[in-house]
């Protein structure tokens, strides 16, 4: 008899998509229970704000709710459901948690390891989507697309945006600096090459690919990225080392009139410092996709500035992301059932 599988999906990573991928990989004769959470129509929660959820972040669901959903299942497949030490203690049959996201921030991985519960994730699931979105954000900000859009929405025809002293440069004439060369950063670099821009990369933990070296991409220090780039695009992971590492000093070190793009994570950036830098026009503009607090407080001054493009953390949202993540999670389930080693253990 195969173990029970509990799927806790949502309105992005749908339970039906998970179930189809699992049955395609593992066969139809499976005991599967499925549940749908209301994200993204309702926001995620954070572990620091909830008793018993210490160490977790970006999750959705209450402890009693999750325990009832998983029940006697040996396998849980989810994107956002929280698994704290306390929740795992109430699920004695649980042996595998497959998380369809790059970082299992809704799981207490250390506690899972202590309880011999295997946790697997799906790194790079939305890298393609975020990379494409990043190129769109760069073009939107550097070519004044947001300014033109907003003026027309107000009934104002801004022909002055065609003036030589106001219009944007082409990417072919720019230096673009990418901070972070992981799943997303490498794809951003690959897409940028088509525009003919000079590309700088900063990541002390990886090396450039042979193709990137042949194509003239340079691996440099953070100081060079900031001092030489017309566009700085952020693709680092949140760690103790990188939390808040782009702040007032880093913005001051950037070129006058440069652009800052963040499609990575909000905690990487000091947003008060960014707001001040945009207000004093040291930076010409910014495109911001993620924030230190989400949803963003409606009274944030950053939301009212005229030289910033803002989106509500949607860069990774694509149908391809859903398919890729569901299939990757399903493969981990198949391997677990077959007694094979996992591809992406956490």
């Amino acid at each position: 008899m195969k173990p029970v599988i509990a799927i806790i999906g949502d309105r992005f990573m749908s339970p039906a998509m998970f179930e189809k991928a699992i049955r395609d990989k593992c066969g139809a004769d499976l005991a599967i229970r499925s549940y749908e959470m209301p994200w993204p129509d309702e926001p995620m929660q954070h572990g620091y704000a909830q008793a018993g959820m210490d160490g977790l972040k970006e999750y959705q669901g209450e402890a009693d709710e999750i325990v009832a959903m998983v029940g006697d299942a040996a396998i849980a497949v989810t994107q956002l459901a929280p698994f704290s030490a306390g929740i795992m203690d109430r699920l004695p049959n649980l042996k595998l948690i497959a998380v369809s996201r790059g970082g299992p921030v809704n799981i207490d991985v250390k506690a899972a390891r202590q309880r011999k519960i295997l946790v697997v994730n799906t790194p790079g699931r939305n890298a393609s989507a975020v990379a494409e979105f990043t190129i769109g954000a760069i073009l939107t900000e550097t070519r004044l697309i947001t300014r033109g859009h907003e003026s027309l929405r107000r009934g104002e025809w801004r022909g002055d945006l065609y003036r030589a002293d106001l219009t944007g440069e082409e990417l072919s004439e720019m230096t673009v600096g990418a901070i972070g060369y992981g799943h997303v950063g490498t794809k951003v670099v690959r897409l940028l090459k088509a525009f003919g821009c000079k590309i700088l990369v900063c990541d002390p933990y990886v090396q450039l690919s042979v193709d990137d070296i042949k194509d003239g991409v340079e691996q440099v220090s953070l100081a060079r990225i900031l001092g030489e780039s017309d566009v700085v695009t952020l693709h680092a992971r949140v760690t103790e080392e990188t939390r808040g590492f782009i702040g007032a000093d880093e913005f001051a070190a950037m070129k006058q009139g440069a652009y800052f793009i963040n499609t990575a994570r909000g905690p990487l950036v000091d947003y008060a410092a960014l707001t001040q830098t945009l207000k004093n026009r040291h930076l010409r503009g910014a495109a911001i996709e993620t924030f230190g607090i989400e949803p963003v407080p409606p009274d944030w001054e950053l939301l009212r500035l005229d030289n910033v493009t803002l989106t509500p953390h949607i860069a990774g949202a694509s149908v391809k992301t859903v398919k890729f993540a569901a299939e990757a999670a399903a493969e981990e389930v198949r391997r677990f059932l077959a007694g094979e080693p996992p591809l992406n253990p956490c």
Side-chain angles (χ1 to χ4, degrees), residues 175-178 200 224-232 254-255 258:
T175 296
V176 180
L200 306 178
R224 272 197 65 189
I225 288 271
L226 298 174
E228 297 181 19
S229 299
D230 300 295
V231 177
V232 172
M254 288 177 63
K255 290 174 65 174

Side-chain angles (χ1 to χ4, degrees), residues 32 82 93 152 182 185 233 251 269 311:
I32 295 179
N93 290 343
L152 281 175
T233 180
F251 289 126
V269 178
T311 49

Side-chain angles (χ1 to χ4, degrees), residues 179-217:
I179 302 174
Y181 189 68
H183 290 290
V184 176
T186 53
K187 286 181 168 56
V188 169
V189 167
R190 191 179 309 150
L191 294 173
L192 283 171
K193 291 176 185 178
F195 292 91
C197 51
K198 181 179 178 180
I199 303 171
L200 306 178
V201 169
C202 172
D203 192 324
Y205 301 106
V206 297
Q207 297 296 317
L208 295 180
S209 69
V210 173
D211 286 341
D212 285 343
I213 294 172
K214 288 180 179 177
D215 292 336
V217 178

Side-chain angles (χ1 to χ4, degrees), residues 1 14 35 42 72 78 102 109 123-124 144 161 175 181 209 214 216 234 242 254 279 284 291 297:
M1 181 178 177
S14 73
Y35 308 90
E42 296 180 16
D72 63 348
T78 190
V109 176
L144 306 181
L161 294 179
T175 296
Y181 189 68
S209 69
K214 288 180 179 177
L234 191 55
T242 61
M254 288 177 63
K279 284 176 62 179
R284 189 175 186 193
F291 304 84

Side-chain angles (χ1 to χ4, degrees), residues 211-287:
D211 286 341
D212 285 343
I213 294 172
K214 288 180 179 177
D215 292 336
V217 178
E218 295 182 53
Q219 188 164 13
V220 301
S221 66
L222 179 60
R224 272 197 65 189
I225 288 271
L226 298 174
E228 297 181 19
S229 299
D230 300 295
V231 177
V232 172
T233 180
L234 191 55
H235 304 291
R237 276 194 165 286
V238 178
T239 66
E240 290 307 310
E241 181 183 9
T242 61
R243 188 176 297 276
F245 83 127
I246 304 297
D249 291 343
E250 287 70 31
F251 289 126
M254 288 177 63
K255 290 174 65 174
Q256 175 73 39
Y259 300 87
F260 177 72
I261 314 295
N262 185 13
T263 57
R265 289 289 177 172
L268 299 168
V269 178
D270 180 338
Y271 278 97
L274 174 61
T275 300
Q276 187 57 45
T277 304
L278 290 167
K279 284 176 62 179
N280 66 28
R281 306 290 170 167
H282 177 68
L283 295 184
R284 189 175 186 193

Side-chain angles (χ1 to χ4, degrees), residues 112-189:
R113 194 175 297 119
Q114 292 170 343
R115 289 156 179 78
K116 300 188 183 330
I117 299 172
L118 175 63
V119 179
V120 295
N121 67 333
T122 57
R125 63 165 188 157
N126 60 9
S128 177
V130 176
E132 287 188 4
F133 192 97
T134 299
I135 300 302
I138 292 172
L139 291 172
T140 295
E141 190 56 34
T142 61
R143 298 304 303 278
L144 306 181
I145 294 172
T146 301
R147 314 299 179 268
H149 167 80
E150 290 180 345
S151 66
L152 281 175
R153 295 269 293 191
R154 294 192 301 266
E156 177 186 356
W157 181 270
R158 286 202 60 186
D160 63 314
L161 294 179
Y162 214 105
R163 282 173 38 175
D165 60 335
L166 292 182
T167 193
E169 297 284 352
E170 295 181 22
L171 273 176
S172 61
E173 297 183 302
M174 291 186 177
T175 296
V176 180
I179 302 174
Y181 189 68
H183 290 290
V184 176
T186 53
K187 286 181 168 56
V188 169
V189 167

Side-chain angles (χ1 to χ4, degrees), residues 252-332:
M254 288 177 63
K255 290 174 65 174
Q256 175 73 39
Y259 300 87
F260 177 72
I261 314 295
N262 185 13
T263 57
R265 289 289 177 172
L268 299 168
V269 178
D270 180 338
Y271 278 97
L274 174 61
T275 300
Q276 187 57 45
T277 304
L278 290 167
K279 284 176 62 179
N280 66 28
R281 306 290 170 167
H282 177 68
L283 295 184
R284 189 175 186 193
I288 306 301
E289 152 70 0
T290 62
F291 304 84
I293 302 173
E294 295 180 356
V296 182
D299 60 347
W300 266 25
E301 189 176 13
L302 180 67
L303 304 184
R304 300 191 294 275
L305 300 183
D306 64 359
N307 55 345
V308 62
T309 298
L310 304 166
T311 49
H313 203 153
I314 57 174
S318 75
V319 174
K320 180 180 177 180
T321 295
V322 176
K323 291 178 179 177
F324 180 92
E327 289 172 4
E331 174 60 17
E332 295 286 10

